[in-house]
């Protein structure tokens, strides 16, 4: 076979491979958190990975530590495992003053399933200076192969002894 024929075959294979890759990637788009979403289906109800923060509460009445407890929902279509919730704490100038993390119970969360978390806070700087917090959630897919990440909105920390994350409990006046 002539060298020019080999070059033509290699060039054709390169063009064919490129065309296949372009067509395949045009059907799917990778979202901001690394999840694959079919862009031809405009419904947001079928995300493979979607974590929703259902509730959270900051409690400063622990004996040795404060705690930040909450519950998440796997609103996606796939099982998630090894979920790690991190609380990011801010002072009243919105500067980060610390982070604490915890796993969830249960370890594996099926689609539609819920899990709780309890972040214990021992750091005195966070316990005395934090005025607000946010969350990040990090998890792995069902096979523990790929990692994913999202940011979740937290709340305010009250310093009047009623640390209810800014939620109105209608149990009296807030000072």
């Amino acid at each position: 076979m002539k060298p020019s024929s080999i070059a033509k075959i290699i060039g054709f294979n390169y063009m064919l491979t490129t065309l296949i890759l372009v067509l395949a990637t045009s059907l799917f788009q990778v979202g901001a958190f690394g999840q694959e979403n079919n862009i031809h289906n405009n419904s947001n109800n079928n995300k493979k990975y979607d974590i929703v923060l259902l509730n959270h509460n900051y409690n400063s009445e622990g004996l040795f530590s404060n705690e930040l407890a909450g519950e998440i929902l796997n609103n996606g279509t796939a099982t998630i495992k090894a979920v790690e919730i991190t609380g990011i704490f801010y002072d009243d100038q919105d500067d980060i003053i610390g982070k604490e993390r915890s796993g969830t119970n249960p370890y594996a969360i099926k689609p539609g399933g819920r899990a709780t978390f309890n972040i214990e806070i021992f750091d005195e700087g966070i316990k005395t200076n934090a005025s607000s917090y946010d969350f990040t959630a990090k998890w792995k897919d069902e096979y523990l192969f790929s990692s994913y990440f999202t940011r979740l909105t937290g709340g305010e920390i009250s310093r009047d002894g009623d640390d209810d994350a800014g939620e109105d409990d209608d149990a009296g006046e807030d000072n």
Side-chain angles (χ1 to χ4, degrees), residues 113-138:
R114 296 174 179 217
T116 59
F117 62 89
N118 186 24
I119 302 171
E120 292 192 37
I121 303 157
F122 294 100
D123 184 305
E124 288 299 323
I126 294 173
K127 287 166 55 173
T128 58
N129 298 317
S131 63
S132 63
Y133 56 91
D134 282 324
F135 298 99
T136 61
K138 183 171 69 171

Side-chain angles (χ1 to χ4, degrees), residues 80-97:
I80 58 176
K81 292 184 176 178
V83 179
E84 180 180 278
I85 305 293
T86 301
I88 305 168
F89 298 90
Y90 303 89
D91 63 13
D92 51 0
Q93 304 297 315
D94 288 331
D95 293 325
I96 295 175
I97 58 171

Side-chain angles (χ1 to χ4, degrees), residues 54-61 67-69 130-133 135 154-175:
L54 295 176
N55 60 64
H56 55 90
N57 186 42
Y58 186 90
N59 180 5
S60 62
E61 297 187 20
E67 70 178 8
L68 183 54
S131 63
S132 63
Y133 56 91
F135 298 99
E156 301 292 319
I157 298 173
S158 170
R159 291 288 172 213
D160 62 0
D162 183 21
D163 293 330
D164 60 4
E167 300 168 12
D168 188 8
D169 57 8
D170 292 328
E173 64 181 62
D174 291 332
N175 294 330

Side-chain angles (χ1 to χ4, degrees), residues 7-52:
K8 287 180 182 178
I9 291 172
I10 291 173
F12 177 74
N13 283 339
Y14 175 77
M15 288 180 53
L16 184 60
T17 303
T18 303
L19 180 62
I20 290 170
L21 288 173
V22 167
L23 288 173
T25 57
S26 70
L27 294 176
F28 291 94
Q29 169 185 338
V30 176
F33 304 119
Q35 69 185 24
E36 201 173 80
N37 294 315
N38 188 333
I39 62 173
H40 296 290
N41 184 349
N42 293 329
S43 172
N44 287 331
N45 296 332
N46 67 342
K47 289 183 179 179
K48 189 172 184 179
Y49 300 111
D50 186 23
I51 291 180
V52 176

